Amino acid sequence: MTATYVYDAVRTPFGRAAGALSGVRPDDLAALVMRAAVERTGVDPARIADVIFGDANQAGEDNRNVARFGALLAGFPTSVTGVTVNRLCASSVEAVIQGARAIESGDAEIVLAGGVESMSRAPYVVEKSAKPWPGVGNQTMWNTSIGWRMTNRALPTPWTISNGESAEKIAREWGISREQQDAFSVASHQKAAKAWADGVYDSEVVQVPGHELARDEGIRDDTSVEKLAGLKPLFATDGTGTVTAGNASSINDGASAVLLAGEGVLPGEPLARIAGRAAHGVDPDVFPIAPIEAANKALARAGKTWADVDFVELNEAFASQSLACLAGWPDLDPARLNIHGGAIAIGHPLGASGGRIIGHAAHELKRRGGGVAVAAICIGVGQGLAVVLER
């Protein structure tokens, strides 16, 4: 069976909600990284068998198959097809996995995968009445930027709590303190700031024309445990809450792209090989811990153990989630997790985050000259997804 290789990975800087990239449409963000991926590698876009992009919202300007529209806006030939996939926060990980399957099955030689999200530009939606011509003023308006909307009442009540409430539940059940969460968050900002200062991200981030955003907008160089300690809990106001805006990922805008191909299909040396992948499901109210078993499964399928792993890129939805995953991977040295910062600092534009962690892992393997990396992510409604990369 043909192996799948990451030949390049590129992303935009991640903007904050209502920030530097809030004026850019998601299809334009997608087109930007698509175009950059082919220009950087010199691949003829006509050779791309499919564009597979993740997008968690799909309720606004991204509602009509943003993968196809992104490819058209990027100037690709109309013969290049596109499909948009949705596995919520792991949508672009799913896109990469689907692209790898197409290559390994012989259905494609080259696939451009990735994802996009403009949480700033996510629209309000209004639920329609089942009755014709409902009276004005009796509909509910929902903000689609984040969160679960129009929940089905048939679901068990514990499963319908918010992601933040799930993060609080994990903190309680795993004995993770507020102090631990804040310290983890400060370290994420410090590592991300240092990585940018050291030029680590220069090879994988392309600027958005017309927008002076030199790096990820959410990084706070001056944050501290003392500053974070002053923030109020968001999801439990009875005095027991530990999850705050300071130890959780933010609302962001951005896009990522990962160019996949079989061995020898493109000129030049690939960044890394996709060695294994896996999904895992848990009860929706404990979704933060799903990456634990997803990564274990992916490593087993790659024929690896935790002793083989050089570093892990874990999407930091919440500090409690990341700390719980660390506890669930006792053989992983915490110093090998998110060595250049994570989503708490960098940001979490839902559909783009998976492409970021896979892409950064691939670039880091090249910088190191080889090794094994795990990219893992938690998913609302009780899922986790993981990919093992090797060089």
Side-chain angles (χ1 to χ4, degrees), residues 30-91:
L32 172 67
V33 293
M34 291 178 190
R35 190 182 306 114
V38 299
E39 289 177 349
R40 284 157 52 108
T41 56
V43 64
D44 180 356
R47 297 181 62 195
I48 297 172
D50 208 359
V51 174
I52 308 175
F53 253 51
D55 185 347
N57 198 318
Q58 303 181 44
E61 295 157 336
D62 50 1
N63 77 93
R64 293 282 288 177
N65 190 3
V66 71
R68 173 63 170 173
F69 275 98
L72 294 173
L73 290 165
F76 292 1
T78 55
S79 58
V80 179
T81 55
V83 61
T84 304
V85 300
N86 189 345
R87 203 191 276 259
L88 300 181
C89 298
S91 293

Side-chain angles (χ1 to χ4, degrees), residues 54-279:
D55 185 347
N57 198 318
Q58 303 181 44
E61 295 157 336
D62 50 1
N63 77 93
R64 293 282 288 177
N65 190 3
V66 71
R68 173 63 170 173
F69 275 98
L72 294 173
L73 290 165
F76 292 1
T78 55
S79 58
V80 179
T81 55
V83 61
T84 304
V85 300
N86 189 345
R87 203 191 276 259
L88 300 181
C89 298
S91 293
S92 48
V93 178
E94 178 66 25
V96 169
I97 290 174
Q98 290 195 21
R101 287 177 181 147
I103 290 168
E104 291 160 15
S105 68
D107 287 344
E109 282 192 325
I110 306 172
V111 173
L112 183 56
V116 65
E117 207 79 48
S118 176
M119 299 174 79
S120 293
R121 298 177 71 84
Y124 288 93
V125 297
V126 177
E127 189 173 8
K128 291 178 70 175
S129 171
K131 298 179 181 179
W133 312 110
V136 175
N138 64 347
Q139 293 90 19
T140 298
M141 180 176 288
W142 306 82
N143 183 347
T144 68
S145 290
I146 192 170
W148 203 348
R149 302 165 296 274
M150 305 178 193
T151 307
N152 193 318
R153 294 181 181 178
L155 288 168
T157 300
W159 291 0
T160 63
I161 63 175
S162 70
N163 287 353
E165 290 170 314
S166 294
E168 284 283 10
K169 180 174 182 176
I170 291 302
R172 291 193 304 270
E173 292 184 351
W174 288 69
I176 300 168
S177 69
R178 166 73 180 269
E179 291 74 21
Q180 288 175 297
Q181 294 174 60
D182 287 349
F184 181 90
S185 302
V186 169
S188 182
H189 284 277
Q190 291 174 340
K191 289 186 288 186
K194 184 178 187 303
W196 272 104
D198 292 345
V200 171
Y201 287 113
D202 291 351
S203 62
E204 58 194 85
V205 178
V206 294
Q207 304 305 310
V208 180
H211 297 270
E212 297 180 358
L213 184 59
R215 68 172 193 177
D216 301 305
E217 196 173 10
I219 301 171
R220 297 184 181 275
D221 303 63
D222 61 347
T223 195
S224 66
V225 172
E226 291 74 24
K227 288 182 178 180
L228 294 189
L231 299 177
K232 294 182 179 179
L234 294 174
F235 305 102
T237 58
D238 59 357
T240 66
T242 61
V243 178
T244 71
N247 56 40
S249 60
S250 52
I251 297 173
N252 299 95
D253 311 320
S256 62
V258 181
L259 185 64
L260 305 171
E263 185 175 14
V265 171
L266 297 177
E269 186 179 10
L271 299 177
R273 178 177 69 90
I274 295 180
R277 64 267 181 152

